[in-house]
Amino acid sequence: MHSIDNSKVSIGGISAARIADLRETEGTAFRKARPKSAARVGNGLPGFFGGVPMHWMKDWPTPFPILVDSAKGASITDVDGNRLDDFCLGDTGSMFGHSPPPVARAIRRQAGRGLTYMLPSEDALAIGPLLQQKFGLPFWQIATTATDANRFALRVARAVTGREKILVFNGCYHGSVDETMVRLVDGKPVNRPGLAGEFRDLTRTAKVIEFNDVSALEAALKDRDVACVIAEPVLTNSCMVLADGGYHDALRRLTRAAGTLLLIDETHTISTGPGGYTRKYGLEPDLFVLGKPIAGGVPASVWGMSDDVATRYADYNRTKEPGYSGMGTTLSANPLQFATMRATLEEVMTEENYERMDKLAQRLDAGLSAAIERNRLPWHVARVGARVEFICAPGPLRNGAEAETAHAPELEAAIHVALVNRGVLIAPFHNMMLISPATSAAQVDRLIAAFGAVAAKLAA
């Protein structure tokens, strides 16, 4: 049996041996800086399966999860007193910063008035018009997660079209919606690898094609059996893939021609502006979903529908048998959501905040790109508004297959831990960084400097 010479294996232009060395030295430094965390969570949190409250907490590349003491604005402090500039921001859940003051005030105000009672509060009177104004569609519903909202919207799409199939893009992210848990492997649709406990063939009711491929889209819609295309305006939660010029126009034109509804999921691309990518680039969805940051960090989501879909859904409801629709959860549309959502929509998701976020994101994009060029690395940077990613492969990428090939887990993990040791936290599952209204220019400059130092160390 021949051993592999790691000095000759290259990942993202860096030798595997150098990556392993960086991971080891940075892991040691991480442990040394966190003795209290190591004692409390180094062997797992007691009472939790796998030692964590949610399984993906084990996916952080650090030797053990950071045990947070507090978070405020764009900073996190752990129980050992280490303060981190936070560019992960709950992987978009805290995109507007931790505990934005208007949201914190709304929580305090509502806390003494009841948290859930299956009835609207006065804040709900303001939210409907705010959603119409921000995102354009006339009719809305409240849910608790974007997964729920997507699931409910797809159910409506099937109800009003009488069609069974859903079309998704390879590499997409729409939470844990079953129909989207499909991928292309060697050009063939399959259940997403690693999917736990799924005994159904999800490709029976879901079609999957590559993003940016107009011919594949046309072919997938030609049988007129697709109820809805569910799409992120930009592929995220992977290596970021931007839409080709004219692609969204073709997507809208072809779906309309096929009698297929279009659902735009802005849960990550809300980084683009106050009305998301949809408003900035004039998209015309039939259905719209936004989760994560819509209530400033309190679990909430919204889904909206066009006049046409609402009319067709009302007609459907008049003729369907009475009974549970399969949509909604008891805790959805509760007064805490109303209070925090109103504060977020009125006082946090402002043009002024987005202007500042975008300006700092441009600064981050330029700084990271300069460091990559300076160190002659075959990497690139992608950005959608306040959301920035460095990708350890040449770019730009055009589809999910290219994004998967560009993903370099071992290299990315080593960089993430090295950045933490330099006082910077980025998203754990990919290389995403967010700018919030609370993020300062000094924090951006520290991230650029830290990234430059790590890149130089790898490229030396």
Side-chain angles (χ1 to χ4, degrees), residues 274-295:
Y277 194 103
T278 295
R279 191 169 97 187
K280 182 163 184 177
Y281 293 101
L283 306 189
E284 298 176 356
D286 302 295
L287 297 154
F288 179 104
V289 164
L290 173 58
K292 287 188 179 177
I294 186 68

Side-chain angles (χ1 to χ4, degrees), residues 63-84:
F64 46 81
I66 294 168
L67 192 59
V68 177
D69 176 67
S70 64
K72 187 174 182 181
S75 298
I76 277 180
T77 303
D78 67 21
V79 296
D80 289 278
N82 299 296
R83 184 174 173 178
L84 298 171

Side-chain angles (χ1 to χ4, degrees), residues 3 62 124 133 235 264 362:
S3 61
T62 50
Q133 175 191 338
L235 286 188
I264 295 294
Q362 289 179 42

Side-chain angles (χ1 to χ4, degrees), residues 134 273-275 279 348-357:
K134 289 275 186 188
R279 191 169 97 187
V348 180
M349 292 179 70
T350 64
E351 295 282 356
E352 294 75 20
N353 275 342
Y354 268 100
E355 199 173 308
R356 186 173 184 280
M357 291 156 65

Side-chain angles (χ1 to χ4, degrees), residues 74 81 148 171 180 219 248 340 393 395 426:
D148 287 342
T180 68
H248 279 294
T340 52
I426 68 173

